[in-house]
Amino acid sequence: MKRYTDMEYLRLSKGRKFLYKIAAFFCAIPRGLKNFFLGIVRAVVNFFQSIGREFADIFTTFVKGDWKTKLSYLVMGFGNIARGQILRGLLFLLFEAVFIVYMIVAGAKWMSMLPSLGKVGPHEVYNAVLDQYTTEYGDNSFKILLYGVLTIFFIIAFIYTWRVNIRQNKISEQIIKSGKPLKSGGDDLRSLVDDNFHRTLLALPMTGILIFTVMPIIFMILVAFTNYSGINDGYANNLFTWVGLDNFNTLLAWEGAGNVYSATFGEILSWTLIWAFFATFTNYFLGMFVAMMINKKGIRLKKLWRTILVLTIAIPQFISLLYVSKMFDKNGIVNGLLSDLGVIRQNIDFWGSTAHSALLPRVMVIVINIWIGIPYLMLIATGILMNIPADLYESAKIDGASGWKQFSKITLPYMLFITGPYLLTSFTGNMNNFNVIYLLTGGKPINAAASSAAGSAGYTDLLITWLFKITTGEGAKYYMASVIGILVFIVVAIISLVVYNLLPSIKNEEDFQ
Amino acid sequence: MNYYAIVNNTLEFIKENALIVGIIAAFCVVAITVGMWKVFQKAGKHPWMAVIPFARDYTLTEIGSTGLIGVLAYVILPILGIINLNGIRYFYDLNKGASKPIYAILFVLGTIFLAIALFFHVLSSIKLSNAFEKGTGFLIGLILLPPVFLLILGLDQSKYVRSVSTSLGLKASRAISNTLIHIVLVIMAIIWLVPFVCIVLQSFRTETKPDGTMITWIVPDVFPKKWGLDNYINLFKSDFVDWYLNTFIIAAVVALLQTFIVLCMSYTLSRFRFKLRKGLMQFMLILGMFPGMLTMIILYRVLKDLGLTEAHAVPGLILVYVASSGMGYYISKGFFDTIPKTLDEAARVDGATRAQVLFKIILPLAKPIVIYTVLTAFMAPWGDFVFARYIAFGDSSGMNAAVGLWKWLTQDMINLRYTMFCAGGVLVAIPVAVLFMCLQKYYVEGVTGGAVKG
Amino acid sequence: MKLKKIAALLLAVLMVFALVACDGSTNETTKKPEGGNTPATTQGNQGGSELAGTYEIKVWCAEKMVDLTTNQIKAFNEKNTDGIVIKATVQNVSEGEAATQMITDVDAGGDLYCFADDQFARLVQAGALSKLGTQASEFVTTNNDAGAVKAATINGEIYAYPMTADNTYFMYYDKTVITDPTSMDKIIADCEAADKQLCFDVGNGWYLASYFFGAGCSSDWSTDKDGHWVVNDTFNSDEGLIAMKGMNKLMSSPKFDSKSNAAEFDNGAAVVVSGTWDSSTAKSILGDKMGVAALPKYTVDGKDYELGSFMGYKLVGVKPQSDAVKAAVLHKLAQFLTDKDAQIERFNTANWGPSNLEAMKSDAVQNDPVLAAVAAQAQRAVVQNVPDGWWNLAAALSAKAKETGDEAALKEALKTYNDGVELLKNLKPGLLFVGAWNGWNNAVVEDTYILTGDGDVLSLTLEVPESDYMGGRIVNNGKWESDKGQAQVTTGKELIKDLSPEENGDNNIVFVEPGTYKITINTTNNEITLEKVG
């Protein structure tokens, strides 16, 4: 498609400009995707190259190093101690000792059981003397998986530390050769509050994230390849084992027994995207609009309006949303009001579905989400609007621009430019917006075609509420929940990356105006 | 006030007095046509446009320079509005009085349309009377009795003046739009406040059925018939006090620890340039894309092994909240980015270590964001009921307020309990709301500063 | 660099901790996996002093019952002759929550807990209920109402103790308006004449089932131990059509209202179909005018049918134990908490209808009109045994009956319902035989061999083609257990190769020759029989 220069662009008519922008957008998508994939390929290639370099480095260090270095290959930290860096050396040594002890005592056992995830499950035993049925428990698949994975992490950490040890030896040798002094323990400690202060600061947060976020996520990804569920809970009932890609087959299968999952999944995915789109953009534009209204000169009691609106954020959602959902119940307040006014004779079931569609609950959910979401957006928009230089507006007014023109040419582009990334995170956040849907409708009205085996999904269910239902529902199919979680992640990741890469190109277009 | 009855009665009235109504209607039509004819003549537009229904309205609005939108509003909307209202009556009869959602929707839409049409009628009347330099009295007459005053306008001696701005004077138009905005704001405030007012009202409801039990959960009316503080008193006698204290402790501890951790993360990522910085940020971005639900199960198992579930759920919850809080660095980092690095450099030139730079120089400047972080961290645990419910079950001393209140909504106790639930809700909302109001300024600074630059 | 060291060190600390923690768990694998079969000496009766001791247990029950249960346990401590002393922590956990929590984590659950019978099947599947021994099963069967016992039984084995039998619905009515509470048509006429509502929430599956049960249909869903449905659903039939017509007649009345809530008596209702939970409301509003009766008969095409109903029961379950002594103590306590006296006590305190036969006949229960109605309705009540997805299918039926009385349309609706039932059923296709020759494929139902049959014995006739490895095994769809293979074959061992576990790690049934075989499996004991038929 033809690319216009700046001058030519400005000369185009309004309609033409619009078409050009749309065309540019669509052309940018393949470019964005191509860059994305090239990026991945490049990253992978770099990764392998660096691994190769590491191996080469290890080999050469061994060959070229002195006896202290060579010994350090076996006894970590020896080189450091021998060269006077006691603190570092002791730390390395301690780590190696702990690792070896761990592997002997427990690590090897967990690793060996990892492929099978336990062989002996619980058995029922009848004690005839006491006339009782008792259960004898065997292996614990869950623990095997958990500690097996942790052991793998430990091994990786060990290998890395060992590598660091080697490299330190090499560098120390070079430093000694060049005659400079080595850093002592005291130097190290001092650097913790200076050069390496960032490490000190990051240590605690990163540990927390590592243990409480990364590890569970990796574990759950692995669960997607097992059949861990309430029934196969790995200990009390049945053991669980690896099933490979079976779960993905079940979810995405078009035919056969898995059909229910895939049909439900498709429907829920499309509703999730629609919901996220509407929720984000209605809140965004309406919030901006409200902020502009309050911001206008001549409006009094600005703080009061803002405070009232912000009340929605202050009050915990589980109270306000629960109450609102009861307000619109079939026998609730709104119906009572409407029937008292004589507008309706029989109560409207706001949260129910008719034979034709579940449109009403979906619309209700979006509308009530506006009620919740506008205050946030209003706050943000207020702050930004206050930052827009007023002379832009002045000059526009002198040129005779009407209110609408001012909005679309000055305010809107500015806001979009600044809050573009925020819109993206808001979109993905709404895709995972559990509270609003769960509290308002609980995912109802139930989709008759989605049976309880597939989590009793409903017409207002998002992927994430569906995930929750599967986790706490019939059979507690955790493996299915994991699979869905992974797919949610993939969808969100793709959208984020594509849009993120597109943003700069859109931004450039804005600068024309 | 039965809406259906009103519409019906009006139609009956019209039918009965058809003759008189007919004469008045005819007069109106003639008056409007003639009046417009003359007005158009004066304004230099084609007078015969007055006869064609849509065209005449278009010309009229052209004179008042509201253009195409004027036509839409002034012409089409009234028609739509009337169709709507009639449609309601039609559907009502069709469904034998049964209501469908479309019924209420038509009602609302019809009202909105009529309101907008009225608004535009007023607007174009104003512009019209300005165009002919008429006074306020004439304006009011034009708004209320268009046929008569159009006639007058057309037949009298006024001249059409194409003023510089056929819009109202700056002050007048601003006054009108301000009034309108105030009205809208008032309506919005009412809508926003209604649920809370209802909750508060429910919490004072102490009426019981004659046999001493409370009325049901879903009440069709808002105002309590009997007021009292019984609900609050019952709250204090029940486990609610435990739950409230638990939640308060969790919130306070989490607020402190989380602020500390988030500050560490965001300051580091903002100020230091180390090798893995970009990678780390992207890694955490990706990590954030995983739904948090997934990790509930395994965190439960980990906490169970540590003995931090059920009765000891409070430390367990604190641990989980605080540990992963480092991922919420985004906004704080944005704020730190706005503090110029020259301050840092100046301090380092003077010989301060990086630690001293942080504590002595940056932190005092970062007061808004610190308060913002404390505020958000404090607010979050009050509302968490999903994860807390997973961890704290059975023993009620480990539950937080959200879980406890949820528990009360079981099938057999719900009628007894829901007013207490509302009362509990009010009490839970108070500290959070109060804190938020006081610190609103910092919240706004934090959100705009961080979200903008990020 | 330092950062990594610190991180690695912290990981090390974690590992040490894990080491400490998992040391304890290694002990669990040392129990012998055999079922102990000590020769039965005194079958069934526990010796007195064997059980003596103090036991700390956790008990979960509904909030209303916490005090009562605590007192009852104290009474148990005083009354028992085995020297058992129970230190119980009684926690307030509602029935629904108890079931969900036990399913999520059996280990952390209460040792004794109360739950509603609709969760029973799921709890058994999740391994959260301890099976009752012979003596305990006898206790349950002799003492309790048949429906209650059925609700606590799966596959012929009893897993819980019935506690109440009163969750059903019947009719509250205004005696001054309704002349004949036994005929639905007369009731409708009375209501229309007096311009009062008839409140019966037939839009809800729970209530509409009454019409179908009355016409003779049934919908009984049970799962066997392996998790597949055994379904008996006869709604899609002529009787079902009769029920639909009956519903249509009811719903076309202008006085029909779907709010089954006794508060409606305040709003101009004369009849409300509801349950025991509404008894106090109905009494308070109607006072002396209140009448309670079992559900009436409805008439279609001249014939009368008595409306049935669902019945719900509350049960007490025991968490599975690994110590037989503690298990015995818990079961004793459970029996104490569900025997006649305890149930009468509950009735007196909270008006919960007992399931114990003697208690039901006692004067106190008989004199209460509400519970008398319950007892009368219980004759026609059916245990609620339907899966979660069933309710919406049922609701669709009543929506259609409300719209039209046209026979063709109603039949169409019944057919749609049946399709839904089939879909629900087939999600657990039961046992399959997968073999090397079909690629070990057990994910696609069409490619697999399904074992079918009635009740406990399933069989399949299968052609084994000539190939290098003619091995296969019986599995549940989606699983890959190792206990339905070579080791389970009892008859027909000569038809398969006898391979050692090292060669045949997955326990496959490896046929010696190609041909047609009939494979039969007894699902109660997993014994497999092989026959060559061609």
Side-chain angles (χ1 to χ4, degrees):
Chain A
M1 64 147 244
K2 189 159 183 279
R3 302 214 123 243
Y4 293 107
T5 64
D6 291 0
M7 287 301 290
E8 291 173 352
Y9 180 79
L10 286 171
R11 254 188 267 136
L12 289 176
S13 70
K14 225 180 3 168
R16 273 279 166 86
K17 276 192 194 154
F18 187 64
L19 285 173
Y20 177 73
K21 269 198 266 186
I22 293 195
F25 179 77
F26 279 109
C27 283
I29 292 187
R31 219 187 322 137
L33 282 174
K34 183 182 74 171
N35 285 340
F36 172 67
F37 282 115
L38 276 183
I40 291 188
V41 169
R42 237 176 281 141
V44 170
V45 166
N46 277 341
F47 179 68
F48 279 113
Q49 277 184 336
S50 55
I51 297 236
R53 254 177 282 145
E54 295 290 314
F55 274 111
D57 196 45
I58 293 178
F59 186 64
T60 48
T61 314
F62 187 74
V63 165
K64 289 204 208 135
D66 64 9
W67 67 274
K68 293 185 208 152
T69 311
K70 290 204 173 79
L71 203 51
S72 293
Y73 274 75
L74 213 54
V75 180
M76 277 168 56
F78 181 76
N80 291 49
I81 297 181
R83 295 197 189 96
Q85 290 176 315
I86 312 280
L87 187 63
R88 286 198 195 181
L90 280 177
L91 283 173
F92 275 124
L93 204 57
L94 182 66
F95 188 65
E96 183 173 5
V98 166
F99 178 73
I100 292 181
V101 167
Y102 172 74
M103 284 307 283
I104 295 178
V105 174
K109 184 175 63 92
W110 292 121
M111 292 290 287
S112 69
M113 289 210 268
L114 199 53
S116 65
L117 286 181
K119 291 218 162 77
V120 181
H123 290 262
E124 205 174 64
V125 176
Y126 181 62
N127 182 324
V129 172
L130 291 171
D131 185 28
Q132 292 299 329
Y133 287 95
T134 57
T135 325
E136 297 223 344
Y137 293 108
D139 292 330
N140 190 335
S141 304
F142 190 90
K143 282 212 170 106
I144 293 176
L145 185 60
L146 180 62
Y147 291 124
V149 169
L150 283 177
T151 313
I152 293 184
F153 273 158
F154 199 19
I155 293 180
I156 294 179
F158 177 74
I159 293 180
Y160 187 82
T161 318
W162 180 80
R163 172 81 190 93
V164 166
N165 170 42
I166 302 298
R167 200 186 313 144
Q168 286 215 334
N169 273 303
K170 173 169 144 200
I171 295 178
S172 303
E173 260 188 82
Q174 288 177 338
I175 292 183
I176 290 183
K177 261 193 222 150
S178 67
K180 294 201 211 116
L182 289 175
K183 289 210 195 129
S184 72
D187 282 335
D188 282 336
L189 287 174
R190 236 170 290 135
S191 79
L192 276 182
V193 290
D194 201 3
D195 289 321
N196 287 330
F197 189 44
H198 61 280
R199 300 217 170 110
T200 323
L201 281 181
L202 280 183
L204 194 60
M206 284 311 290
T207 321
I209 293 182
L210 210 64
I211 300 181
F212 284 90
T213 311
V214 176
M215 198 260 292
I217 288 183
I218 293 188
F219 187 84
M220 291 314 286
I221 294 181
L222 288 175
V223 162
F225 297 98
T226 67
N227 58 356
Y228 176 42
S229 69
I231 300 182
N232 296 329
D233 65 346
Y235 183 62
N237 210 21
N238 279 319
L239 300 177
F240 61 83
T241 61
W242 300 105
V243 296
L245 291 172
D246 279 355
N247 299 330
F248 287 91
N249 278 340
T250 319
L251 183 66
L252 301 171
W254 286 116
E255 299 275 328
N259 192 17
V260 184
Y261 272 112
S262 66
T264 324
F265 178 70
E267 232 190 89
I268 296 187
L269 178 64
S270 55
W271 162 243
T272 309
L273 289 172
I274 295 177
W275 148 266
F277 177 77
F278 275 108
T280 318
F281 284 101
T282 50
N283 281 355
Y284 187 73
F285 286 109
L286 287 175
M288 195 161 42
F289 183 64
V290 169
M292 277 169 36
M293 273 202 316
I294 299 186
N295 228 18
K296 212 159 183 283
K297 277 196 280 251
I299 305 289
R300 289 181 291 190
L301 306 169
K302 285 200 199 341
K303 265 215 166 145
L304 177 67
W305 304 122
R306 288 206 195 106
T307 308
I308 292 180
L309 284 180
V310 148
L311 213 58
T312 339
I313 311 184
I315 302 214
Q317 274 185 351
F318 81 93
I319 299 178
S320 48
L321 284 174
L322 197 62
Y323 191 77
V324 169
S325 91
K326 288 305 166 203
M327 265 173 69
F328 283 94
D329 190 271
K330 232 158 84 154
N331 303 319
I333 295 181
V334 173
N335 268 321
L337 193 69
L338 286 177
S339 53
D340 281 346
L341 284 178
V343 178
I344 56 174
R345 183 94 84 82
Q346 202 179 47
N347 292 344
I348 304 178
D349 190 4
F350 283 99
W351 303 119
S353 63
T354 65
H356 304 292
S357 74
L359 193 57
L360 188 60
R362 289 179 167 175
V363 169
M364 289 296 300
V365 163
I366 293 182
V367 166
I368 296 184
N369 185 55
I370 295 179
W371 178 71
I372 293 258
I374 282 192
Y376 285 106
L377 260 304
M378 186 207 68
L379 286 178
I380 295 179
T382 311
I384 297 178
L385 284 172
M386 295 203 276
N387 281 339
I388 299 182
D391 38 348
L392 274 177
Y393 285 112
E394 298 287 335
S395 49
K397 208 172 288 185
I398 294 177
D399 287 343
S402 75
W404 173 253
K405 269 213 155 54
Q406 286 181 10
F407 174 72
S408 63
K409 288 266 185 281
I410 301 180
T411 321
L412 195 55
Y414 195 86
M415 287 280 296
L416 279 177
F417 180 80
I418 291 188
T419 55
Y422 178 78
L423 258 183
L424 183 61
T425 41
S426 176
F427 183 82
T428 51
N430 266 324
M431 275 185 68
N432 284 340
N433 189 349
F434 179 80
N435 271 359
V436 174
I437 302 278
Y438 186 73
L439 289 168
L440 277 180
T441 60
K444 294 199 190 57
I446 303 269
N447 187 340
S451 71
S452 62
S456 300
Y459 284 110
T460 50
D461 258 328
L462 299 180
L463 284 169
I464 188 142
T465 57
W466 188 36
L467 199 151
F468 182 73
K469 277 188 181 172
I470 293 185
T471 309
T472 56
E474 178 100 25
K477 296 194 174 63
Y478 300 126
Y479 57 89
M480 234 36 216
S482 293
V483 171
I484 295 173
I486 293 179
L487 287 172
V488 167
F489 165 73
I490 292 179
V491 170
V492 168
I494 290 181
I495 295 179
S496 304
L497 285 169
V498 167
V499 175
Y500 218 84
N501 282 330
L502 280 178
L503 275 181
S505 64
I506 292 183
K507 274 192 240 176
N508 288 336
E509 305 283 3
E510 301 296 350
D511 288 352
F512 284 148
Q513 326 205 334
Chain B
M1 174 185 106
N2 190 332
Y3 160 74
Y4 178 64
I6 293 178
V7 173
N8 245 7
N9 291 342
T10 324
L11 287 173
E12 298 279 326
F13 179 79
I14 293 178
K15 269 188 242 173
E16 279 163 30
N17 305 304
L19 191 60
I20 303 179
V21 173
I23 292 178
I24 296 182
F27 168 73
C28 288
V29 170
V30 168
I32 289 185
T33 314
V34 171
M36 284 200 187
W37 184 287
K38 289 286 178 193
V39 166
F40 292 170
Q41 262 187 334
K42 285 193 210 173
K45 307 269 179 205
H46 297 281
W48 49 263
M49 292 274 236
V51 190
I52 309 174
F54 284 115
R56 74 155 175 238
D57 295 300
Y58 178 71
T59 320
L60 193 68
T61 52
E62 217 183 25
I63 297 178
S65 55
T66 42
L68 202 59
I69 297 185
V71 175
L72 271 172
Y74 203 32
V75 172
I76 300 184
L77 284 184
I79 299 179
L80 282 178
I82 295 182
I83 292 181
N84 264 336
L85 293 178
N86 258 327
I88 295 177
R89 198 174 62 86
Y90 170 71
F91 278 114
Y92 194 96
D93 287 334
L94 191 66
N95 294 318
K96 297 185 253 232
S99 67
K100 294 189 183 273
I102 190 159
Y103 192 58
I105 293 176
L106 283 179
F107 176 71
V108 171
L109 280 179
T111 321
I112 294 179
F113 287 156
L114 278 180
I116 298 180
L118 192 66
F119 170 72
F120 271 96
H121 169 64
V122 169
L123 200 62
S124 46
S125 304
I126 295 176
K127 295 197 175 177
L128 202 57
S129 81
N130 266 351
F132 286 87
E133 286 187 324
K134 290 289 183 183
T136 327
F138 190 87
L139 173 62
I140 295 182
L142 191 57
I143 292 177
L144 292 174
L145 291 173
V148 174
F149 281 82
L150 261 180
L151 201 56
I152 298 177
L153 190 62
L155 293 176
D156 76 358
Q157 301 303 314
S158 58
K159 288 251 183 311
Y160 179 62
V161 177
R162 186 138 233 229
S163 42
V164 173
S165 78
T166 43
S167 57
L168 309 156
L170 208 58
K171 253 199 185 173
S173 79
R174 191 174 290 170
I176 291 192
S177 62
N178 279 358
T179 327
L180 278 174
I181 292 184
H182 273 117
I183 295 177
V184 170
L185 282 176
V186 168
I187 296 179
M188 274 182 64
I190 294 178
I191 296 179
W192 252 253
L193 281 181
V194 159
F196 304 121
V197 169
C198 286
I199 294 182
V200 172
L201 284 176
Q202 297 300 313
S203 73
F204 287 115
R205 182 190 285 269
T206 54
E207 68 226 30
T208 57
K209 289 184 286 198
D211 65 350
T213 60
M214 300 288 267
I215 56 176
T216 58
W217 162 226
I218 298 173
V219 250
D221 52 324
V222 176
F223 287 98
K225 298 204 180 77
K226 254 171 51 177
W227 300 72
L229 286 176
D230 287 353
N231 292 320
Y232 289 93
I233 297 177
N234 286 340
L235 273 184
F236 283 107
K237 287 198 219 150
S238 73
D239 285 332
F240 185 72
V241 187
D242 283 334
W243 299 334
Y244 200 80
L245 277 174
N246 280 345
T247 322
F248 196 84
I249 293 175
I250 296 179
V253 175
V254 165
L256 284 172
L257 292 178
Q258 183 164 330
T259 315
F260 173 68
I261 290 193
V262 166
L263 279 180
C264 287
M265 279 294 274
S266 49
Y267 178 71
T268 316
L269 288 174
S270 155
R271 278 294 184 265
F272 294 95
R273 295 286 177 270
F274 49 96
K275 205 165 54 149
L276 289 173
R277 179 173 165 268
K278 268 214 159 199
L280 199 63
M281 289 205 289
Q282 281 183 344
F283 177 64
M284 294 215 274
L285 195 66
I286 294 183
L287 221 52
M289 290 186 202
F290 276 100
M293 293 281 140
L294 279 184
T295 55
M296 265 191 339
I297 310 159
I298 167 150
L299 285 174
Y300 168 70
R301 292 298 291 256
V302 170
L303 286 178
K304 186 171 151 199
D305 283 342
L306 292 172
L308 290 176
T309 56
E310 290 189 67
H312 305 286
V314 171
L317 281 174
I318 295 182
L319 184 62
V320 170
Y321 290 145
V322 169
S324 325
S325 56
M327 290 182 44
Y329 67 90
Y330 195 63
I331 294 185
S332 307
K333 171 175 166 299
F335 186 88
F336 279 116
D337 283 341
T338 64
I339 299 182
K341 294 217 175 57
T342 49
L343 281 172
D344 283 45
E345 283 155 25
R348 297 215 67 195
V349 163
D350 289 341
T353 65
R354 285 211 131 100
Q356 287 172 326
V357 170
L358 170 63
F359 288 114
K360 293 225 170 63
I361 300 185
I362 303 292
L363 271 186
L365 285 175
K367 207 160 68 138
I369 200 64
V370 168
I371 294 189
Y372 166 76
T373 317
V374 168
L375 190 60
T376 35
F378 186 82
M379 274 170 44
W382 289 93
D384 173 33
F385 67 98
V386 178
F387 187 57
R389 187 149 63 131
Y390 219 73
I391 302 235
F393 53 90
D395 195 334
S396 128
S397 65
M399 299 190 185
N400 72 355
V403 176
L405 288 176
W406 259 105
K407 226 165 69 95
W408 277 351
L409 298 182
T410 59
Q411 192 62 15
D412 52 337
M413 300 298 274
I414 198 170
N415 288 340
L416 282 169
R417 279 283 158 74
Y418 93 96
T419 44
M420 282 169 71
F421 176 82
C422 292
V426 170
L427 285 183
V428 167
I430 287 181
V432 177
V434 163
L435 202 61
F436 189 85
M437 298 311 163
C438 296
L439 299 176
Q440 200 191 102
K441 188 167 67 121
Y442 295 105
Y443 186 84
V444 173
E445 265 188 64
V447 165
T448 59
V452 166
K453 303 308 194 298
Chain C
M1 231 162 19
K2 254 304 166 67
L3 169 70
K4 316 316 182 251
K5 264 198 275 183
I6 296 178
L9 256 170
L10 280 158
L11 259 177
V13 171
L14 184 70
M15 289 313 113
V16 172
F17 168 78
L19 189 134
V20 169
C22 70
D23 254 347
S25 67
T26 54
N27 291 333
E28 290 162 15
T29 53
T30 56
K31 288 249 169 61
K32 49 175 182 49
E34 292 283 321
N37 270 320
T38 47
T41 49
T42 50
Q43 221 256 31
N45 258 317
Q46 29 293 62
S49 54
E50 276 176 7
L51 305 174
T54 316
Y55 300 88
E56 281 192 26
I57 64 171
K58 194 158 61 168
V59 175
W60 283 355
C61 61
E63 192 171 351
K64 271 195 241 176
M65 287 290 140
V66 169
D67 291 330
L68 182 66
T69 315
T70 322
N71 290 337
Q72 282 178 336
I73 296 182
K74 257 195 240 152
F76 176 79
N77 281 338
E78 288 157 17
K79 289 201 191 142
N80 85 84
T81 55
D82 294 306
I84 304 175
V85 176
I86 303 239
K87 282 212 172 84
T89 319
V90 181
Q91 288 178 343
N92 157 21
V93 180
S94 74
E95 282 105 14
E97 223 187 293
T100 333
Q101 196 52 50
M102 289 304 288
I103 296 178
T104 316
D105 188 356
V106 177
D107 190 47
D111 294 296
L112 271 178
Y113 57 98
C114 308
F115 62 97
D117 72 303
D118 53 356
Q119 297 293 320
F120 178 67
R122 292 179 65 193
L123 284 167
V124 173
Q125 260 187 10
L129 284 172
S130 158
K131 189 152 72 170
L132 267 61
T134 327
Q135 179 263 342
S137 306
E138 263 180 55
F139 170 85
V140 169
T141 19
T142 43
N143 287 331
N144 288 298
D145 165 59
V149 175
K150 183 155 186 288
T153 314
I154 201 167
N155 261 348
E157 289 162 343
I158 304 186
Y159 280 86
Y161 296 88
M163 189 169 66
T164 67
D166 63 0
N167 193 11
T168 183
Y169 46 90
F170 39 88
M171 196 170 66
Y172 294 98
Y173 61 94
D174 186 334
K175 278 201 261 205
T176 58
V177 174
I178 306 295
T179 51
D180 179 7
T182 59
S183 159
M184 183 56 99
D185 289 340
K186 292 222 191 78
I187 293 176
I188 296 179
D190 285 340
C191 285
E192 284 177 1
D195 196 27
K196 294 243 174 194
Q197 316 278 66
L198 200 173
C199 298
F200 189 179
D201 190 6
V202 254
N204 186 325
W206 200 48
Y207 289 100
L208 73 83
S210 58
Y211 273 88
F212 287 88
F213 295 147
C217 304
S218 63
S219 182
D220 191 55
W221 300 60
S222 43
T223 47
D224 63 13
K225 209 165 41 143
D226 293 315
H228 50 271
W229 292 115
V230 177
V231 182
N232 180 13
D233 181 293
T234 56
F235 276 31
N236 185 20
S237 58
D238 293 327
E239 289 88 20
L241 188 59
I242 294 174
M244 293 287 273
K245 286 201 213 162
M247 286 203 299
N248 172 264
K249 212 201 287 194
L250 170 67
M251 292 201 267
S252 331
S253 161
K255 285 290 129 197
F256 165 75
D257 193 344
S258 70
K259 299 201 201 84
S260 269
N261 184 350
E264 291 302 310
F265 280 122
D266 247 346
N267 265 350
V271 173
V272 173
V273 171
S274 180
T276 50
W277 56 90
D278 255 345
S279 64
S280 49
T281 317
K283 255 188 235 156
S284 66
I285 299 182
L286 290 177
D288 288 331
K289 296 191 290 182
M290 177 177 93
V292 194
L295 292 173
K297 300 192 266 264
Y298 69 98
T299 321
V300 170
D301 295 338
K303 278 187 68 180
D304 283 341
Y305 304 91
E306 278 195 350
L307 285 170
S309 65
F310 271 125
M311 185 79 134
Y313 307 86
K314 289 212 222 300
L315 307 163
V316 172
V318 177
K319 186 171 87 171
Q321 308 286 326
S322 28
D323 176 13
V325 172
K326 188 163 182 199
V329 169
L330 283 170
H331 279 277
K332 273 204 124 182
L333 179 61
Q335 287 174 35
F336 182 82
L337 289 175
T338 54
D339 69 8
K340 176 181 74 140
D341 296 322
Q343 292 200 12
I344 292 186
E345 214 183 324
R346 275 198 202 93
F347 164 70
N348 287 333
T349 332
N351 229 19
W352 283 8
S355 63
N356 182 297
L357 292 164
E358 281 182 37
M360 282 167 110
K361 290 199 209 112
S362 76
D363 289 330
V365 174
Q366 285 299 318
N367 284 339
D368 183 326
V370 171
L371 281 174
V374 170
Q377 186 64 34
Q379 317 276 351
R380 306 176 233 153
V382 172
V383 172
Q384 182 178 316
N385 222 350
V386 290
D388 280 339
W390 183 84
W391 302 107
N392 299 297
L393 297 174
L397 281 178
S398 88
K400 192 54 111 162
K402 185 167 189 202
E403 263 182 48
T404 164
D406 170 41
E407 264 197 40
L410 294 178
K411 278 204 194 142
E412 185 63 44
L414 282 170
K415 177 147 188 321
T416 317
Y417 164 85
N418 203 31
D419 289 341
V421 166
E422 289 299 312
L423 194 65
L424 215 52
K425 239 194 325 186
N426 285 332
L427 285 173
K428 301 193 182 189
L431 292 179
L432 320 168
F433 188 95
V434 296
W437 54 90
N438 77 338
W440 300 110
N441 195 348
N442 70 343
V444 178
V445 176
E446 281 81 21
D447 285 344
T448 51
Y449 309 98
I450 306 182
L451 288 101
T452 52
D454 295 303
D456 295 332
V457 176
L458 307 176
S459 65
L460 163 74
T461 311
L462 160 70
E463 222 184 80
V464 179
E466 165 86 47
S467 61
D468 288 332
Y469 184 75
M470 294 180 282
R473 51 154 65 201
I474 299 179
V475 297
N476 278 355
N477 193 13
K479 299 189 192 177
W480 193 255
E481 314 93 339
S482 57
D483 60 350
K484 288 199 189 66
Q486 180 192 338
Q488 267 60 42
V489 175
T490 48
T491 318
K493 278 207 170 94
E494 65 280 4
L495 297 167
I496 59 172
K497 294 192 193 169
D498 183 18
L499 299 170
S500 63
E502 285 84 43
E503 284 177 72
N504 190 6
D506 282 326
N507 197 12
N508 290 334
I509 299 172
V510 187
F511 291 100
V512 175
E513 287 177 357
T516 316
Y517 292 87
K518 181 161 178 214
I519 303 173
T520 315
I521 178 168
N522 184 336
T523 53
T524 47
N525 51 18
N526 276 345
E527 277 177 14
I528 303 178
T529 311
L530 300 173
E531 276 174 59
K532 193 162 200 284
V533 293

